[in-house]
Amino acid sequence: EQDEEGLEKKEFLLRHLRDLCAQTKGATASHVCSLRGDGVNTGLIPMARMPKKELERACRLEATRRVAFNVEKAFLQSHLVPEDSARPGGKQNFIVTVARRESVARRLDILRDAGIQVAALLPIPFAWKNLLLSLRGAEPAPIRAVVDIGSDRTMVSVHQGGQRQFCREFELGGDQITEAVIQAGQSFGEKTDISWEEAERIKRAKNLLKSSGSEPIKGSLNSSHVVSMVRPVLERIVQETKRSLEYYSQLFRGADVAQIILSGGGSLLDGFVQFFQERMKPPVSLFEL
């Protein structure tokens, strides 16, 4: 049985981290690692102008509306978005991260047990800021939105040059796609039991979104059955992304995103990039180094 952090996955993570270090010889270097999960929340919060000593208390109060854990005992960092994004009425936009101390300690323990030297833990939007800067060419940087689809949540962050301008997180991700595959087995014809591991393999091995619909999956279950359950989850991810970008455009006086980059394990479903592109105006691509 797992807690809200998925503690039983520690050995699984250790094994894969050690394999990755062995392949890349990464354990000999110092790494900056991303910080995400149930015990971490990063989002944009509009705040009235106030003295710095009052800001943390106000941010903690606002953060309590977003998370289920005790914010008073959590780490909190706030970063002011540049002044040109100031909202009407004198409000300013802050990107605020709140993280359970236990969550941070657990991640550090796993990384250290894997032999990885940790220079810093960065929330997802801040990690992407540095990565996008490293990929920037000589031309002026476009406004880019990164849609990072994790196991149980998706982070939409918007960047221009060296500035983090916006981020929003919502609770949809790859796990919901896996659950949809499992649910398909219980919803059509004779009930077909599909384990979590089988559903993950189906996601990776079957091009569900481009199939003709008649490919057998397991028992009497075929690909059209699975797609009918998976597609609504993908539609919700797209719609929540649209809502995020529309909110960004309102905050930044009609600024338009020029490029959408998909990342995270949930984005690797075959055909998802095309599915996403058909529903979005800016060019959509899968992140690749």
Side-chain angles (χ1 to χ4, degrees), residues 46-234:
M47 303 288 293
R49 297 177 185 272
M50 65 184 70
K52 186 175 181 180
K53 64 180 182 180
E54 297 178 15
L55 179 62
E56 180 174 343
R57 180 180 297 179
C59 286
R60 286 189 186 276
L61 180 62
E62 289 295 325
T64 58
R65 304 175 184 178
R66 301 172 180 238
V67 301
F69 52 85
N70 187 348
V71 172
E72 293 303 318
K73 296 182 179 180
F75 292 115
L76 183 142
Q77 284 191 337
S78 61
H79 295 265
L80 176 65
V81 179
E83 286 292 328
D84 60 1
S85 68
R87 293 167 60 103
K91 287 190 175 182
Q92 297 173 301
N93 295 319
F94 289 86
I95 293 178
V96 178
T97 296
V98 57
R100 289 181 58 201
R101 293 177 182 272
E102 297 88 345
S103 300
V104 174
R106 180 175 298 172
R107 283 157 177 77
L108 286 172
D109 286 343
I110 292 174
L111 291 166
R112 288 166 180 163
D113 286 350
I116 296 175
Q117 300 179 47
V118 181
L121 286 174
L122 290 181
I124 287 292
F126 296 84
W128 271 105
K129 171 221 167 181
N130 293 334
L131 183 55
L132 292 174
L133 275 176
S134 70
L135 301 176
R136 181 180 174 182
E139 296 182 0
I143 301 176
R144 292 167 165 166
V146 178
V147 183
D148 191 283
I149 306 170
S151 58
D152 61 352
R153 61 193 64 213
T154 295
M155 171 68 76
V156 179
S157 57
V158 181
H159 309 257
Q160 184 174 28
Q163 298 292 344
R164 301 166 299 272
Q165 294 186 315
F166 174 87
C167 65
R168 175 177 177 258
E169 189 176 65
F170 54 87
E171 293 186 357
L172 280 170
D175 285 356
Q176 284 76 19
I177 301 172
T178 304
E179 289 168 0
V181 175
I182 294 172
Q183 188 59 39
Q186 301 295 308
S187 303
F188 298 94
E190 295 182 5
K191 289 188 177 182
T192 304
D193 291 329
I194 300 175
S195 69
W196 189 271
E197 292 73 19
E198 287 177 316
E200 286 288 322
R201 286 197 295 271
I202 290 169
K203 279 170 43 178
R204 291 193 297 266
K206 303 288 184 180
N207 191 342
L208 298 172
L209 297 177
K210 294 183 180 179
S211 67
S212 64
S214 59
E215 289 87 346
I217 299 294
K218 183 180 180 181
S220 61
L221 191 68
N222 63 40
S223 56
S224 66
H225 297 145
V226 176
V227 170
S228 69
M229 300 298 288
V230 167
R231 188 179 292 273
V233 178
L234 304 183

Side-chain angles (χ1 to χ4, degrees), residues 19-28 31:
D19 288 345
L20 179 63
C21 287
Q23 294 171 18
T24 63
K25 299 181 179 179
T28 61
H31 296 270

